[in-house]
Amino acid sequence: MSTPLEKWVNEQAKLTKPDKVYWCDGSDEEARRLIEIGIKEEKISGNPVFHELNQKIWPNAYYHRSHPTDVARTEHLTYVCHPDKDVAGPNNNWMEPSKAKNMMTKLSDGCMKGKTMYVLPYTMGHPDSPYAKACIQITDVSYVAISMRIMTRMGKKAIERIGNSTDFVKGFHSIGDLDPNKRFIMHFPDEHLVWSIGSGYGGNALLGKKCFSLRIASWLGYQEGWLAEHMVILGIQDPKGNVTYVTAAMPSACGKTNLAMLESTLPGYKVWTIGDDIAWLNVGPDGRLYAINPEAGLFGVAPGTSMKTNPNMMRTLKADKFYPTLFTNTALNTDTNEPWWDGIDGPVPENLTDWQGNPWDVSKNSKASHPNARFTVSVYNAPALSKEFDNPRGVPISAIILGGKRTHLIPLVTEAFDWQNGVFLGARTGSETTAAATHKEGVLRRDPMAMLPFCGYNMGDYFKHWLSIGKKLKNPPKIYSVNWFRTDDNGKFIWPGFGDNIRVLKWIIDRSAGNAGAKETPIGMVPDIKDMALEGLDIPKKNIEKLFEINHCEWKKELQDIEKFITQFGKHTPPEIWQEYDKLSKKL
Ligand code: OXD
Ligand code: MN
């Protein structure tokens, strides 16, 4: 008798008709074999899946180039198929579930012919954690199988956890024929099912990540009383050795990975990494908020990463520990066989092959590495990995930080008056767009809690859910907004960012402990200049003031835009959000 898990896998094999079905055990030995296959046998669009990089300088590192039309998340092809459109909300594309299923079944019929179907059993979260979820994904690409080994806890513990039950998350992935017209990332929240075809890009193909751990998990959290969030988790150690844990939500490519790996410029302070992208937040038995990182790897943006901006990340990428590390769509230094990207240390090499495989020609003014080029690396390679990383219970959170990229208006840091005001602060957060999704860069879009592309249900109900979680907490974490990106009159960033962000984190943890001053403004509490550790920074006083300035005139325009955004959720928006809106608009 087969288990429900085996039955589901067999059904998918019947539909997709692969030559072979292979169950992955997640072992090191297996990963080496799959990499070999990806180098020698398996091809995507005629090219080998993997290329071995210079192992002396980049131990365990391999290079992958994706199809040029398949380099980022495709939000316009991503659907959340609740039976009722209103449940999905205006923040999601929606299709009636049976219509979506029919379409996907047709597209998937025979899609794995001539290929191997890899079966990936994994857990999101430590297998011993009460908050973890057991999952299965099938895929027809070794790149995806290997990436999932890095990003999740893959292996027989997941199968044991599932046992004979039907309680597992199902992920169907096929790269299809890469035709953008036949590319769909479909979510069926009620069935705990993600069905993705036509893309090999991380966010569309590593189904444990955005698809499950955010879109489906946020829906589970709504029903079960917890939160799945687009947040980093970090521990901040002060000079006395006390560690305070915080989470921070920021849209893609706004520096979450840099924050998670921050190397402090303030003596005596140290940051411990727990997660760089996703946090699952549960109310613990003691009434505090606990966070786990459901992932086990880092899928980060390579451009801009260097020993200057993120030394811990560079050390992680070069660590000779977990096998393997992947680089996708960077350029290749043809002479040394190393990955190369914009912003990496050292001079631009003479001979580069660009991310599409062509010799790079500086004069053509094209990018050698794609702006969304990525690395995939185990979090166990991180030199400052927190000793709490594998704690099944998670870490208790003292502050929640919500950020975005705003070149104007939003102060460096603001503290919400209370939880309800903090939920409004999150709801009104906006950010100037980046390259992690296929849309125009540099345009302002509202992105509440950085969850707009990832909230698997109506965002109005999501705000309500946040408010209800606050009511369950005995001592709710304080909520903050941060903005590292404010510019001066010449369009230059005022705040140095990176390691100096510890100065902001210090104020936040001091406030959470009741040890730092602040002044009240209409939008929240902001530090007085004397409350911040700014020693040693070379920023003109006028610019420092600008970092905390609140321009009433510009805020009035902002309010109109916030109103327009929130209005679209209609009756789903809880009255508390409008109360906060009215309070702010009166104060301004
Ligand atoms: C990511 C994203 O890949 O947010 O983390 O796009
Ligand atoms: Mn992300």
Side-chain angles (χ1 to χ4, degrees):
M1 266 285 281
S2 53
T3 62
L5 175 66
E6 288 160 346
K7 196 162 157 264
W8 184 78
V9 171
N10 289 340
E11 280 166 14
Q12 310 320 306
K14 228 182 193 167
L15 173 65
T16 57
K17 306 178 181 67
D19 276 12
K20 226 169 55 191
V21 176
Y22 173 76
W23 287 69
C24 289
D25 62 15
S27 67
D28 185 84
E29 181 269 322
E30 174 183 87
R32 288 173 198 273
R33 238 181 317 116
L34 293 192
I35 290 272
E36 237 1 72
I37 292 174
I39 292 174
K40 294 201 180 125
E41 292 168 32
E42 211 180 291
K43 300 217 157 47
I44 298 180
S45 313
N47 297 314
V49 178
F50 294 119
H51 163 82
E52 186 177 74
L53 291 164
N54 185 327
Q55 298 289 301
K56 284 211 185 88
I57 307 174
W58 302 87
N60 304 325
Y62 297 85
Y63 180 68
H64 172 80
R65 214 176 260 137
S66 76
H67 191 271
T69 67
D70 188 31
V71 292
R73 282 184 291 102
T74 43
E75 289 174 13
H76 61 295
L77 304 173
T78 301
Y79 289 73
V80 178
C81 306
H82 288 283
D84 180 355
K85 184 173 184 190
D86 203 36
V87 174
N91 46 301
N92 282 303
N93 298 315
W94 176 84
M95 202 183 280
E96 198 277 311
S98 61
K99 184 175 162 204
K101 279 263 180 78
N102 280 339
M103 184 184 81
M104 295 304 275
T105 305
K106 277 194 200 123
L107 288 174
S108 306
D109 191 359
C111 67
M112 296 192 186
K113 268 188 195 152
K115 299 185 186 178
T116 298
M117 179 168 111
Y118 299 100
V119 184
L120 321 170
Y122 64 97
T123 59
M124 293 313 287
H126 191 282
D128 298 335
S129 171
Y131 308 128
K133 300 279 180 196
C135 314
I136 193 85
Q137 175 171 339
I138 57 158
T139 180
D140 52 7
V141 195
S142 58
Y143 168 78
V144 172
I146 288 288
S147 302
M148 287 292 285
R149 164 175 149 79
I150 302 170
M151 296 304 297
T152 73
R153 281 129 165 141
M154 189 189 287
K156 74 171 188 305
K157 280 213 164 172
I159 298 184
E160 284 165 12
R161 204 172 148 134
I162 296 170
N164 216 353
S165 90
T166 51
D167 180 18
F168 56 92
V169 178
K170 302 173 269 296
F172 175 116
H173 172 254
S174 168
I175 197 159
D177 58 9
L178 284 166
D179 175 353
N181 295 316
K182 292 193 241 154
R183 182 174 294 158
F184 292 98
I185 297 91
M186 292 286 182
H187 302 73
F188 301 90
D190 285 343
E191 291 176 56
H192 305 177
L193 167 67
V194 184
W195 196 333
S196 162
I197 192 158
S199 167
Y201 173 74
N204 297 333
L206 314 183
L207 304 184
K209 195 174 178 60
K210 305 297 188 181
C211 298
F212 170 55
S213 287
L214 290 177
R215 292 194 195 96
I216 302 265
S218 60
W219 174 245
L220 294 181
Y222 179 54
Q223 293 172 315
E224 297 170 0
W226 55 282
L227 291 166
E229 296 297 328
H230 192 198
M231 289 178 172
V232 306
I233 312 168
L234 44 100
I236 305 155
Q237 184 174 315
D238 69 14
K240 288 193 188 127
N242 300 319
V243 181
T244 307
Y245 295 96
V246 307
T247 62
M250 282 166 205
S252 316
C254 280
K256 281 207 304 298
T257 306
N258 291 341
L259 184 65
M261 299 229 155
L262 182 147
E263 204 170 66
S264 167
T265 56
L266 282 183
Y269 285 84
K270 181 168 173 69
V271 164
W272 297 101
T273 308
I274 296 177
D276 83 323
D277 196 39
I278 298 177
W280 285 354
L281 306 174
N282 280 273
V283 182
D286 58 357
R288 293 191 70 182
L289 191 65
Y290 283 83
I292 64 161
N293 172 11
E295 302 192 277
L298 311 163
F299 177 64
V301 179
T305 309
S306 68
M307 281 310 282
K308 193 164 146 267
T309 59
N310 193 341
N312 276 331
M313 193 69 241
M314 292 305 287
R315 289 179 198 119
T316 304
L317 293 174
K318 289 190 174 176
D320 189 4
K321 269 178 153 169
F322 189 94
Y323 181 93
T325 294
L326 305 180
F327 292 91
T328 304
N329 294 339
T330 62
L332 254 190
N333 181 334
T334 326
D335 297 324
T336 61
N337 192 25
E338 290 180 78
W340 185 89
W341 53 79
D342 296 281
I344 197 174
D345 309 274
V348 180
E350 253 170 51
N351 295 306
L352 283 173
T353 305
D354 73 12
W355 66 276
Q356 299 197 54
N358 305 312
W360 186 54
D361 184 348
V362 196
S363 64
K364 281 205 183 129
N365 202 18
S366 63
K367 290 266 183 214
S369 66
H370 189 276
N372 193 35
R374 296 276 177 151
F375 48 74
T376 318
V377 64
S378 170
V379 75
Y380 292 101
N381 278 16
L385 184 66
S386 163
K387 66 177 185 357
E388 297 296 324
F389 176 73
D390 275 325
N391 187 336
R393 177 195 71 143
V395 291
I397 296 302
S398 299
I400 295 176
I401 301 169
L402 306 167
K405 180 176 184 176
R406 296 293 298 267
T407 45
H408 296 92
L409 193 82
I410 304 293
L412 178 64
V413 58
T414 317
E415 180 187 277
F417 297 118
D418 52 31
W419 183 271
Q420 176 172 309
N421 181 248
V423 177
F424 173 62
L425 182 157
R428 65 169 168 77
T429 301
S431 192
E432 290 160 33
T433 51
T434 66
T438 47
H439 44 46
K440 208 162 163 257
E441 279 188 62
V443 176
L444 176 70
R445 80 165 178 177
R446 297 275 146 217
D447 192 353
M449 286 83 168
M451 279 291 277
L452 188 71
F454 307 118
C455 179
Y457 60 102
N458 194 310
M459 203 120 219
D461 295 326
Y462 170 77
F463 301 148
K464 215 178 284 166
H465 185 45
W466 261 77
L467 292 168
S468 79
I469 293 284
K471 293 202 180 99
K472 288 192 202 158
L473 292 166
K474 266 206 198 116
N475 186 11
K478 287 193 182 226
I479 299 180
Y480 296 83
S481 114
V482 298
N483 175 28
W484 319 133
F485 300 97
R486 214 155 154 165
T487 51
D488 65 14
D489 298 339
N490 303 315
K492 286 224 166 75
F493 292 125
I494 300 173
W495 184 246
F498 303 107
D500 283 313
N501 290 337
I502 190 70
R503 299 168 190 270
V504 176
L505 296 178
K506 177 182 181 311
W507 183 74
I508 288 174
I509 62 170
D510 287 349
R511 285 289 295 168
S512 303
N515 295 335
K519 63 176 184 205
E520 189 170 336
T521 77
I523 63 164
M525 307 297 289
V526 299
D528 230 339
I529 291 177
K530 68 175 180 350
D531 300 321
M532 287 273 298
L534 297 174
E535 61 277 7
L537 286 182
D538 184 20
I539 307 176
K541 185 150 182 277
K542 151 171 150 267
N543 278 352
I544 293 271
E545 279 162 6
K546 208 176 172 102
L547 284 175
F548 299 103
E549 165 197 276
I550 294 171
N551 180 323
H552 285 235
C553 212
E554 281 183 34
W555 265 98
K556 286 195 182 134
K557 268 190 258 149
E558 175 85 354
L559 270 179
Q560 285 171 2
D561 194 57
I562 295 169
E563 181 184 356
K564 198 164 132 218
F565 178 75
I566 294 176
T567 300
Q568 64 176 313
F569 305 110
K571 65 180 187 334
H572 292 268
T573 300
E576 291 89 337
I577 295 294
W578 287 119
Q579 275 164 24
E580 291 299 323
Y581 176 89
D582 290 340
K583 273 195 242 166
L584 176 58
S585 113
K586 277 202 193 97
K587 283 187 198 163
L588 286 167

